[in-house]
Amino acid sequence: MSFAKPVLLVGGATALSRLLGFGRDALIAATLGSGFVADAFFVAFRLPNLFRRVLGEGALNPAFVPVYQRLRADKGEEAARLFSRRAVSGAGMFLVVLAMCGDLAAPGLVLFLAPGFSDDPLKFALAVRCARLAFPFLAFAVLASLMTSALNAERRFAGAALAPVIVNVILVGVLIVLRLTDATEPDRARLLASCVGLSGLGQVAWLLISLRRSPTGLPLVRPRWSQELRSLCLLALPGIAASGATQMAVVAATEVASTLPGAVSWLYYADRLYQLPLGFVAVAMGTVLLPQIAHCVRARNPSGEAMVVNRACELALLVTFPAALGLLILAGPIVSVLFEHGLFLPHDTQETAKAARWLALALPGAALAKIFAQPFFARERPALPLLAAVAVVLITLLIGYLLRARLGAAGVAIAIAIAASAQAASLGSLLYVRGIFARDRALLRRAAAILGAGLLMAGALEGAMPLAAPLMTASHIFVARLAGLLALCTAGAALFGTVVLALGAVDPGMILRLSRSKTASATLGPEAPINGVEPDKRRIELGHG
């Protein structure tokens, strides 16, 4: 697959960032626990973290890449790169003003995200203070996303993919230092919020280095309004909203859970487990898949586009289905090993694990929804994905409020799972009805093999749990618990991988070709051959089937 290698590159970098994020959140759990200080910090962190996740998943790609591709085809490479530089420099000037507005907007934003905090003045005041300190990260995140889109349009994925790692490296370092101090919990929350903004600055600095080394160059040009920038602005907001449907559902869930003590923190930690496999697929697909589909659309190659979507669905199911089953079965031990330290207590583990099990059911739907939205973005028609994103938020709010009183944080997680599945079903049906997407026999055969392998893995994990679970309880030392959890996860992954290979769900020849490839697809130029096929032939080879 022409997009397989950059998908693995971007997904691997994303997995590294998410693993560092686990380390960060384990340190936060030990440092802040799940009391009112943690709730206040997570609400303050929710908005910048929302933008970091949404924009880090390539939410500006749907606005930027099609305009860039169209401009390059109509006016040439230099005109497209000048547009890229002007877009980044103009966004930088605007976002300075946006960062200044954060101080005034903080109280209203906290009430919007957590209306339940209005009944607790102390918690509300701490959340507002932390929000003001963390808000500059939002501006840096938007600028970093636009710079990432400029690199993605040139098919230079490596530097952009590693940028989120910088954020987590900085925050992990700060948390380690905080753990060594005797500062109070509110002081720790305020110091950590301050460093959130600084981590965004570090991310932007990294991307400036990557841009300097790319054909686009540094954005040292005077911003100038143009028709292309107008198109970018008109597509940006609906593109961000549509691409960030999964993240907005989590924000809606936070609002629903804000009246329940501890529920905001439990949902946050459960969401971290949910985001690790989802991020691998969502970030990779949002970053790599759109340029491939946009190329097919510009080349009037519907068969190539259908093949890209089919193979992307296979890859999404290959990652998210076993991950969902594994999280469903191992949620308790995973939460206990990763988070049950310091101020994070056994009751917190139980409630977080309940929410994580229900969020696991949302994984395949959320990943497929991300894929099914890309053909609409490639055609510069984000209206339908935007409507689907709005529906996701409304479904989450409605079902979350209905189930909150009876099931607590778990009921809110159920709402997210139902909303994600509905989004995937609606977007997939629209693509099918419009003739853009048709399931080929290879997809059906490989999906059935993935389903069988996943169920076999789930049965093996369920059978091993009575023996393995006692070894991962809080009564053992952390290293032994972690080793037991890793051994169990590795055994399950090995069994799943062996079965999918045996059933033909993965092409070993394609894996061998990728491993032997001397030319990284991640650095292909816009006019480079794809799998040896020249662009003027308007054809993409995408494996078997």
Side-chain angles (χ1 to χ4, degrees), residues 316-377:
L317 292 174
L318 189 66
V319 173
T320 58
F321 186 68
L325 291 175
L327 184 55
L328 194 65
I329 295 169
L330 302 177
I334 290 174
V335 173
S336 176
V337 171
L338 293 179
F339 300 128
E340 195 176 324
H341 312 282
L343 298 177
F344 197 90
L345 304 177
H347 176 66
D348 300 319
T349 295
Q350 295 173 6
E351 294 299 326
T352 302
K354 288 178 185 177
R357 290 188 184 97
W358 287 109
L359 283 179
L361 300 180
L363 277 170
L368 291 175
K370 187 75 174 182
I371 295 169
F372 293 150
Q374 303 310 309
F376 296 102
F377 294 143

Short mmCIF file of all heavy atoms in Angstrom, two decimals, residues 316-377:
data_model
loop_
_atom_site.label_atom_id
_atom_site.label_comp_id
_atom_site.label_asym_id
_atom_site.label_seq_id
_atom_site.Cartn_x
_atom_site.Cartn_y
_atom_site.Cartn_z
N ALA A 316 -7.70 -0.04 10.02
CA ALA A 316 -8.39 0.45 11.21
C ALA A 316 -8.94 -0.71 12.04
O ALA A 316 -8.80 -0.74 13.27
CB ALA A 316 -9.51 1.40 10.81
N LEU A 317 -9.58 -1.67 11.38
CA LEU A 317 -10.12 -2.82 12.11
C LEU A 317 -9.00 -3.68 12.70
O LEU A 317 -9.14 -4.23 13.79
CB LEU A 317 -10.98 -3.67 11.17
CG LEU A 317 -12.30 -3.02 10.71
CD1 LEU A 317 -12.99 -3.90 9.68
CD2 LEU A 317 -13.22 -2.77 11.89
N LEU A 318 -7.90 -3.79 11.98
CA LEU A 318 -6.77 -4.59 12.44
C LEU A 318 -6.22 -4.06 13.77
O LEU A 318 -5.73 -4.83 14.60
CB LEU A 318 -5.67 -4.60 11.37
CG LEU A 318 -4.50 -5.56 11.56
CD1 LEU A 318 -4.96 -7.00 11.47
CD2 LEU A 318 -3.42 -5.28 10.52
N VAL A 319 -6.30 -2.74 13.96
CA VAL A 319 -5.77 -2.13 15.19
C VAL A 319 -6.85 -2.04 16.27
O VAL A 319 -6.63 -2.43 17.42
CB VAL A 319 -5.20 -0.74 14.89
CG1 VAL A 319 -4.80 -0.03 16.20
CG2 VAL A 319 -4.00 -0.84 13.96
N THR A 320 -8.03 -1.54 15.90
CA THR A 320 -9.01 -1.19 16.94
C THR A 320 -9.82 -2.37 17.45
O THR A 320 -10.22 -2.37 18.62
CB THR A 320 -9.97 -0.11 16.42
OG1 THR A 320 -10.65 -0.59 15.24
CG2 THR A 320 -9.22 1.17 16.07
N PHE A 321 -10.09 -3.37 16.62
CA PHE A 321 -10.93 -4.47 17.11
C PHE A 321 -10.23 -5.28 18.21
O PHE A 321 -10.82 -5.50 19.28
CB PHE A 321 -11.36 -5.37 15.95
CG PHE A 321 -12.35 -6.43 16.35
CD1 PHE A 321 -13.63 -6.09 16.73
CD2 PHE A 321 -11.98 -7.77 16.38
CE1 PHE A 321 -14.55 -7.06 17.12
CE2 PHE A 321 -12.88 -8.75 16.77
CZ PHE A 321 -14.17 -8.38 17.14
N PRO A 322 -8.99 -5.73 18.01
CA PRO A 322 -8.33 -6.44 19.13
C PRO A 322 -8.09 -5.52 20.33
O PRO A 322 -8.14 -5.97 21.48
CB PRO A 322 -7.02 -6.93 18.52
CG PRO A 322 -6.78 -6.05 17.35
CD PRO A 322 -8.14 -5.72 16.81
N ALA A 323 -7.82 -4.23 20.06
CA ALA A 323 -7.62 -3.30 21.17
C ALA A 323 -8.89 -3.15 21.99
O ALA A 323 -8.84 -3.09 23.23
CB ALA A 323 -7.18 -1.94 20.64
N ALA A 324 -10.04 -3.09 21.32
CA ALA A 324 -11.31 -2.97 22.02
C ALA A 324 -11.57 -4.20 22.89
O ALA A 324 -11.98 -4.09 24.06
CB ALA A 324 -12.44 -2.77 21.02
N LEU A 325 -11.35 -5.38 22.33
CA LEU A 325 -11.57 -6.60 23.10
C LEU A 325 -10.59 -6.69 24.27
O LEU A 325 -10.96 -7.09 25.39
CB LEU A 325 -11.41 -7.82 22.20
CG LEU A 325 -12.51 -8.01 21.13
CD1 LEU A 325 -12.16 -9.18 20.22
CD2 LEU A 325 -13.87 -8.23 21.77
N GLY A 326 -9.33 -6.32 24.04
CA GLY A 326 -8.35 -6.37 25.11
C GLY A 326 -8.69 -5.42 26.24
O GLY A 326 -8.58 -5.77 27.43
N LEU A 327 -9.11 -4.18 25.88
CA LEU A 327 -9.48 -3.22 26.92
C LEU A 327 -10.74 -3.66 27.66
O LEU A 327 -10.86 -3.45 28.88
CB LEU A 327 -9.69 -1.84 26.28
CG LEU A 327 -9.99 -0.67 27.22
CD1 LEU A 327 -8.91 -0.53 28.28
CD2 LEU A 327 -10.12 0.63 26.43
N LEU A 328 -11.66 -4.28 26.95
CA LEU A 328 -12.88 -4.76 27.58
C LEU A 328 -12.58 -5.79 28.67
O LEU A 328 -13.18 -5.78 29.75
CB LEU A 328 -13.79 -5.36 26.50
CG LEU A 328 -15.25 -5.64 26.86
CD1 LEU A 328 -15.98 -4.34 27.14
CD2 LEU A 328 -15.93 -6.39 25.73
N ILE A 329 -11.60 -6.65 28.41
CA ILE A 329 -11.29 -7.74 29.34
C ILE A 329 -10.29 -7.30 30.41
O ILE A 329 -10.40 -7.68 31.58
CB ILE A 329 -10.74 -8.95 28.56
CG1 ILE A 329 -11.83 -9.51 27.64
CG2 ILE A 329 -10.24 -10.03 29.51
CD1 ILE A 329 -11.34 -10.51 26.63
N LEU A 330 -9.32 -6.47 30.03
CA LEU A 330 -8.20 -6.14 30.92
C LEU A 330 -8.31 -4.75 31.53
O LEU A 330 -7.32 -4.27 32.10
CB LEU A 330 -6.88 -6.24 30.15
CG LEU A 330 -6.55 -7.59 29.51
CD1 LEU A 330 -5.24 -7.50 28.74
CD2 LEU A 330 -6.46 -8.69 30.57
N ALA A 331 -9.46 -4.10 31.45
CA ALA A 331 -9.57 -2.72 31.94
C ALA A 331 -9.17 -2.61 33.41
O ALA A 331 -8.43 -1.69 33.79
CB ALA A 331 -10.99 -2.20 31.74
N GLY A 332 -9.64 -3.54 34.24
CA GLY A 332 -9.33 -3.47 35.67
C GLY A 332 -7.84 -3.52 35.95
O GLY A 332 -7.27 -2.63 36.60
N PRO A 333 -7.13 -4.58 35.49
CA PRO A 333 -5.68 -4.63 35.72
C PRO A 333 -4.92 -3.46 35.10
O PRO A 333 -3.96 -2.97 35.69
CB PRO A 333 -5.28 -5.96 35.07
CG PRO A 333 -6.51 -6.79 35.08
CD PRO A 333 -7.64 -5.84 34.90
N ILE A 334 -5.32 -3.02 33.89
CA ILE A 334 -4.61 -1.92 33.24
C ILE A 334 -4.71 -0.65 34.08
O ILE A 334 -3.71 0.04 34.33
CB ILE A 334 -5.17 -1.67 31.82
CG1 ILE A 334 -4.81 -2.83 30.90
CG2 ILE A 334 -4.63 -0.36 31.25
CD1 ILE A 334 -5.45 -2.74 29.53
N VAL A 335 -5.93 -0.31 34.54
CA VAL A 335 -6.12 0.90 35.34
C VAL A 335 -5.37 0.78 36.66
O VAL A 335 -4.71 1.73 37.11
CB VAL A 335 -7.62 1.17 35.58
CG1 VAL A 335 -7.81 2.33 36.55
CG2 VAL A 335 -8.32 1.47 34.27
N SER A 336 -5.42 -0.38 37.28
CA SER A 336 -4.75 -0.58 38.56
C SER A 336 -3.24 -0.40 38.43
O SER A 336 -2.62 0.31 39.22
CB SER A 336 -5.08 -1.97 39.11
OG SER A 336 -4.38 -2.21 40.31
N VAL A 337 -2.66 -1.04 37.42
CA VAL A 337 -1.21 -0.99 37.26
C VAL A 337 -0.74 0.42 36.89
O VAL A 337 0.25 0.92 37.42
CB VAL A 337 -0.75 -2.01 36.20
CG1 VAL A 337 0.73 -1.81 35.87
CG2 VAL A 337 -0.98 -3.43 36.70
N LEU A 338 -1.47 1.08 35.98
CA LEU A 338 -1.00 2.37 35.48
C LEU A 338 -1.29 3.52 36.43
O LEU A 338 -0.48 4.45 36.54
CB LEU A 338 -1.64 2.66 34.12
CG LEU A 338 -1.23 1.75 32.97
CD1 LEU A 338 -1.96 2.16 31.69
CD2 LEU A 338 0.28 1.80 32.74
N PHE A 339 -2.42 3.49 37.13
CA PHE A 339 -2.85 4.68 37.85
C PHE A 339 -2.98 4.53 39.37
O PHE A 339 -2.99 5.54 40.07
CB PHE A 339 -4.21 5.16 37.30
CG PHE A 339 -4.18 5.50 35.83
CD1 PHE A 339 -5.11 4.95 34.96
CD2 PHE A 339 -3.23 6.36 35.32
CE1 PHE A 339 -5.10 5.27 33.61
CE2 PHE A 339 -3.20 6.68 33.98
CZ PHE A 339 -4.13 6.13 33.12
N GLU A 340 -3.11 3.30 39.88
CA GLU A 340 -3.39 3.14 41.31
C GLU A 340 -2.12 3.30 42.14
O GLU A 340 -1.51 2.34 42.61
CB GLU A 340 -4.03 1.77 41.58
CG GLU A 340 -4.66 1.69 42.97
CD GLU A 340 -5.38 0.37 43.19
OE1 GLU A 340 -5.99 -0.16 42.23
OE2 GLU A 340 -5.36 -0.13 44.33
N HIS A 341 -1.74 4.57 42.30
CA HIS A 341 -0.56 4.93 43.08
C HIS A 341 -0.87 6.22 43.82
O HIS A 341 -1.68 7.03 43.38
CB HIS A 341 0.67 5.14 42.18
CG HIS A 341 0.88 4.05 41.18
ND1 HIS A 341 1.44 2.84 41.50
CD2 HIS A 341 0.59 4.00 39.85
CE1 HIS A 341 1.51 2.08 40.42
NE2 HIS A 341 0.99 2.76 39.40
N GLY A 342 -0.21 6.46 44.92
CA GLY A 342 -0.35 7.74 45.63
C GLY A 342 -1.79 8.00 46.02
O GLY A 342 -2.41 7.23 46.75
N LEU A 343 -2.35 9.11 45.51
CA LEU A 343 -3.70 9.53 45.88
C LEU A 343 -4.79 8.86 45.05
O LEU A 343 -5.98 9.13 45.26
CB LEU A 343 -3.82 11.06 45.73
CG LEU A 343 -2.89 11.88 46.64
CD1 LEU A 343 -3.04 13.36 46.36
CD2 LEU A 343 -3.17 11.58 48.11
N PHE A 344 -4.43 8.01 44.10
CA PHE A 344 -5.42 7.30 43.28
C PHE A 344 -5.75 5.98 43.99
O PHE A 344 -4.91 5.08 44.08
CB PHE A 344 -4.85 7.04 41.89
CG PHE A 344 -5.88 6.69 40.86
CD1 PHE A 344 -6.49 7.68 40.11
CD2 PHE A 344 -6.23 5.37 40.63
CE1 PHE A 344 -7.43 7.36 39.14
CE2 PHE A 344 -7.18 5.04 39.67
CZ PHE A 344 -7.78 6.05 38.91
N LEU A 345 -6.98 5.84 44.47
CA LEU A 345 -7.36 4.76 45.37
C LEU A 345 -8.08 3.62 44.65
O LEU A 345 -8.49 3.76 43.49
CB LEU A 345 -8.26 5.34 46.47
CG LEU A 345 -7.65 6.51 47.27
CD1 LEU A 345 -8.65 7.05 48.27
CD2 LEU A 345 -6.35 6.08 47.95
N PRO A 346 -8.27 2.45 45.31
CA PRO A 346 -8.94 1.32 44.67
C PRO A 346 -10.33 1.67 44.14
O PRO A 346 -10.74 1.15 43.09
CB PRO A 346 -9.00 0.27 45.79
CG PRO A 346 -7.82 0.59 46.65
CD PRO A 346 -7.69 2.07 46.62
N HIS A 347 -11.09 2.50 44.86
CA HIS A 347 -12.41 2.89 44.36
C HIS A 347 -12.29 3.64 43.04
O HIS A 347 -13.12 3.47 42.12
CB HIS A 347 -13.12 3.76 45.39
CG HIS A 347 -14.44 4.30 44.92
ND1 HIS A 347 -15.53 3.48 44.66
CD2 HIS A 347 -14.85 5.58 44.63
CE1 HIS A 347 -16.55 4.23 44.25
NE2 HIS A 347 -16.16 5.50 44.22
N ASP A 348 -11.27 4.48 42.90
CA ASP A 348 -11.03 5.18 41.64
C ASP A 348 -10.73 4.20 40.52
O ASP A 348 -11.17 4.38 39.38
CB ASP A 348 -9.85 6.16 41.79
CG ASP A 348 -10.11 7.20 42.87
OD1 ASP A 348 -11.24 7.69 42.94
OD2 ASP A 348 -9.17 7.50 43.63
N THR A 349 -9.99 3.15 40.85
CA THR A 349 -9.69 2.11 39.85
C THR A 349 -10.96 1.44 39.35
O THR A 349 -11.15 1.24 38.15
CB THR A 349 -8.74 1.05 40.45
OG1 THR A 349 -7.48 1.67 40.74
CG2 THR A 349 -8.53 -0.10 39.49
N GLN A 350 -11.86 1.10 40.27
CA GLN A 350 -13.11 0.43 39.88
C GLN A 350 -13.96 1.30 38.96
O GLN A 350 -14.46 0.84 37.92
CB GLN A 350 -13.89 0.05 41.13
CG GLN A 350 -13.22 -0.99 42.01
CD GLN A 350 -13.97 -1.21 43.32
OE1 GLN A 350 -15.05 -0.68 43.53
NE2 GLN A 350 -13.39 -1.99 44.22
N GLU A 351 -14.12 2.57 39.32
CA GLU A 351 -14.97 3.46 38.52
C GLU A 351 -14.33 3.78 37.17
O GLU A 351 -15.03 3.86 36.15
CB GLU A 351 -15.23 4.75 39.30
CG GLU A 351 -16.05 4.56 40.57
CD GLU A 351 -17.43 3.99 40.28
OE1 GLU A 351 -18.01 4.31 39.23
OE2 GLU A 351 -17.93 3.21 41.12
N THR A 352 -13.02 3.97 37.14
CA THR A 352 -12.33 4.24 35.87
C THR A 352 -12.42 3.03 34.95
O THR A 352 -12.63 3.17 33.74
CB THR A 352 -10.86 4.60 36.13
OG1 THR A 352 -10.80 5.75 37.00
CG2 THR A 352 -10.14 4.94 34.84
N ALA A 353 -12.26 1.83 35.50
CA ALA A 353 -12.31 0.61 34.69
C ALA A 353 -13.70 0.41 34.09
O ALA A 353 -13.83 -0.02 32.94
CB ALA A 353 -11.91 -0.60 35.53
N LYS A 354 -14.75 0.71 34.86
CA LYS A 354 -16.11 0.60 34.31
C LYS A 354 -16.28 1.50 33.09
O LYS A 354 -16.82 1.09 32.06
CB LYS A 354 -17.13 0.99 35.38
CG LYS A 354 -17.31 -0.01 36.50
CD LYS A 354 -18.32 0.52 37.52
CE LYS A 354 -18.44 -0.38 38.73
NZ LYS A 354 -19.38 0.18 39.74
N ALA A 355 -15.83 2.75 33.22
CA ALA A 355 -15.96 3.68 32.09
C ALA A 355 -15.10 3.22 30.90
O ALA A 355 -15.52 3.31 29.74
CB ALA A 355 -15.54 5.08 32.52
N ALA A 356 -13.90 2.70 31.18
CA ALA A 356 -13.00 2.28 30.11
C ALA A 356 -13.59 1.11 29.32
O ALA A 356 -13.43 1.03 28.10
CB ALA A 356 -11.64 1.88 30.69
N ARG A 357 -14.27 0.19 30.01
CA ARG A 357 -14.88 -0.96 29.30
C ARG A 357 -15.92 -0.50 28.29
O ARG A 357 -15.98 -1.01 27.17
CB ARG A 357 -15.50 -1.92 30.31
CG ARG A 357 -14.49 -2.67 31.15
CD ARG A 357 -15.15 -3.75 32.00
NE ARG A 357 -14.18 -4.40 32.88
CZ ARG A 357 -13.98 -4.08 34.15
NH1 ARG A 357 -14.73 -3.11 34.71
NH2 ARG A 357 -13.08 -4.70 34.87
N TRP A 358 -16.72 0.47 28.68
CA TRP A 358 -17.73 0.96 27.74
C TRP A 358 -17.11 1.79 26.62
O TRP A 358 -17.55 1.72 25.47
CB TRP A 358 -18.79 1.78 28.48
CG TRP A 358 -19.71 0.93 29.30
CD1 TRP A 358 -19.76 0.83 30.65
CD2 TRP A 358 -20.70 0.02 28.80
NE1 TRP A 358 -20.72 -0.07 31.03
CE2 TRP A 358 -21.32 -0.59 29.91
CE3 TRP A 358 -21.13 -0.32 27.52
CZ2 TRP A 358 -22.34 -1.53 29.78
CZ3 TRP A 358 -22.15 -1.26 27.38
CH2 TRP A 358 -22.74 -1.85 28.51
N LEU A 359 -16.08 2.55 26.93
CA LEU A 359 -15.40 3.31 25.87
C LEU A 359 -14.75 2.38 24.86
O LEU A 359 -14.61 2.74 23.68
CB LEU A 359 -14.35 4.24 26.49
CG LEU A 359 -14.86 5.52 27.15
CD1 LEU A 359 -13.69 6.32 27.71
CD2 LEU A 359 -15.64 6.38 26.15
N ALA A 360 -14.33 1.19 25.31
CA ALA A 360 -13.71 0.24 24.38
C ALA A 360 -14.64 -0.09 23.22
O ALA A 360 -14.18 -0.28 22.08
CB ALA A 360 -13.33 -1.04 25.13
N LEU A 361 -15.94 -0.12 23.48
CA LEU A 361 -16.89 -0.45 22.42
C LEU A 361 -16.98 0.63 21.35
O LEU A 361 -17.48 0.39 20.25
CB LEU A 361 -18.28 -0.68 23.03
CG LEU A 361 -18.38 -1.80 24.07
CD1 LEU A 361 -19.81 -1.91 24.59
CD2 LEU A 361 -17.93 -3.13 23.47
N ALA A 362 -16.49 1.83 21.66
CA ALA A 362 -16.54 2.93 20.70
C ALA A 362 -15.37 2.90 19.73
O ALA A 362 -15.39 3.63 18.72
CB ALA A 362 -16.55 4.27 21.43
N LEU A 363 -14.34 2.11 19.98
CA LEU A 363 -13.10 2.19 19.20
C LEU A 363 -13.28 1.93 17.71
O LEU A 363 -12.89 2.76 16.88
CB LEU A 363 -12.05 1.23 19.79
CG LEU A 363 -11.25 1.77 20.98
CD1 LEU A 363 -10.43 0.65 21.62
CD2 LEU A 363 -10.35 2.90 20.53
N PRO A 364 -13.86 0.78 17.29
CA PRO A 364 -13.98 0.55 15.85
C PRO A 364 -14.82 1.62 15.14
O PRO A 364 -14.45 2.10 14.06
CB PRO A 364 -14.65 -0.83 15.76
CG PRO A 364 -14.33 -1.49 17.06
CD PRO A 364 -14.34 -0.39 18.07
N GLY A 365 -15.93 2.02 15.76
CA GLY A 365 -16.78 3.02 15.14
C GLY A 365 -16.09 4.36 14.99
O GLY A 365 -16.18 5.02 13.94
N ALA A 366 -15.37 4.79 16.01
CA ALA A 366 -14.68 6.07 15.95
C ALA A 366 -13.60 6.07 14.87
O ALA A 366 -13.41 7.06 14.15
CB ALA A 366 -14.07 6.41 17.31
N ALA A 367 -12.88 4.96 14.74
CA ALA A 367 -11.83 4.87 13.72
C ALA A 367 -12.42 4.87 12.31
O ALA A 367 -11.92 5.56 11.41
CB ALA A 367 -10.98 3.62 13.94
N LEU A 368 -13.48 4.10 12.09
CA LEU A 368 -14.11 4.05 10.76
C LEU A 368 -14.74 5.39 10.40
O LEU A 368 -14.70 5.81 9.23
CB LEU A 368 -15.16 2.94 10.73
CG LEU A 368 -14.62 1.51 10.79
CD1 LEU A 368 -15.77 0.51 10.87
CD2 LEU A 368 -13.74 1.20 9.58
N ALA A 369 -15.31 6.08 11.38
CA ALA A 369 -15.88 7.41 11.11
C ALA A 369 -14.81 8.37 10.61
O ALA A 369 -15.06 9.20 9.73
CB ALA A 369 -16.56 7.95 12.36
N LYS A 370 -13.61 8.28 11.18
CA LYS A 370 -12.51 9.13 10.74
C LYS A 370 -12.18 8.87 9.28
O LYS A 370 -11.95 9.81 8.50
CB LYS A 370 -11.29 8.86 11.62
CG LYS A 370 -10.12 9.79 11.37
CD LYS A 370 -10.37 11.15 11.96
CE LYS A 370 -9.16 12.05 11.86
NZ LYS A 370 -9.39 13.36 12.48
N ILE A 371 -12.18 7.61 8.88
CA ILE A 371 -11.88 7.25 7.50
C ILE A 371 -12.99 7.72 6.56
O ILE A 371 -12.74 8.32 5.50
CB ILE A 371 -11.68 5.73 7.37
CG1 ILE A 371 -10.44 5.30 8.16
CG2 ILE A 371 -11.57 5.30 5.92
CD1 ILE A 371 -10.30 3.81 8.31
N PHE A 372 -14.23 7.47 6.95
CA PHE A 372 -15.36 7.78 6.07
C PHE A 372 -15.54 9.29 5.86
O PHE A 372 -16.21 9.71 4.91
CB PHE A 372 -16.64 7.18 6.63
CG PHE A 372 -16.67 5.67 6.61
CD1 PHE A 372 -17.39 4.96 7.57
CD2 PHE A 372 -15.98 4.96 5.65
CE1 PHE A 372 -17.42 3.57 7.55
CE2 PHE A 372 -16.00 3.57 5.63
CZ PHE A 372 -16.72 2.88 6.58
N ALA A 373 -14.97 10.11 6.73
CA ALA A 373 -15.09 11.56 6.56
C ALA A 373 -14.12 12.10 5.51
O ALA A 373 -14.37 13.16 4.93
CB ALA A 373 -14.85 12.26 7.90
N GLN A 374 -13.01 11.38 5.24
CA GLN A 374 -11.97 11.93 4.38
C GLN A 374 -12.42 12.18 2.93
O GLN A 374 -12.03 13.20 2.34
CB GLN A 374 -10.74 11.02 4.39
CG GLN A 374 -10.15 10.77 5.77
CD GLN A 374 -9.91 12.04 6.57
OE1 GLN A 374 -9.31 12.99 6.10
NE2 GLN A 374 -10.41 12.04 7.80
N PRO A 375 -13.21 11.29 2.30
CA PRO A 375 -13.66 11.61 0.93
C PRO A 375 -14.47 12.90 0.84
O PRO A 375 -14.39 13.61 -0.18
CB PRO A 375 -14.52 10.39 0.55
CG PRO A 375 -13.96 9.27 1.37
CD PRO A 375 -13.60 9.91 2.67
N PHE A 376 -15.25 13.23 1.85
CA PHE A 376 -15.98 14.49 1.85
C PHE A 376 -15.02 15.67 1.94
O PHE A 376 -15.17 16.67 1.25
CB PHE A 376 -16.98 14.54 3.01
CG PHE A 376 -18.07 13.52 2.93
CD1 PHE A 376 -18.03 12.36 3.70
CD2 PHE A 376 -19.15 13.71 2.07
CE1 PHE A 376 -19.05 11.42 3.63
CE2 PHE A 376 -20.18 12.77 1.99
CZ PHE A 376 -20.12 11.62 2.77
N PHE A 377 -14.01 15.55 2.81
CA PHE A 377 -13.03 16.63 2.94
C PHE A 377 -12.24 16.81 1.66
O PHE A 377 -11.92 17.94 1.27
CB PHE A 377 -12.08 16.34 4.10
CG PHE A 377 -12.74 16.33 5.44
CD1 PHE A 377 -12.35 15.43 6.42
CD2 PHE A 377 -13.75 17.23 5.75
CE1 PHE A 377 -12.95 15.42 7.67
CE2 PHE A 377 -14.36 17.22 6.99
CZ PHE A 377 -13.95 16.33 7.95
#
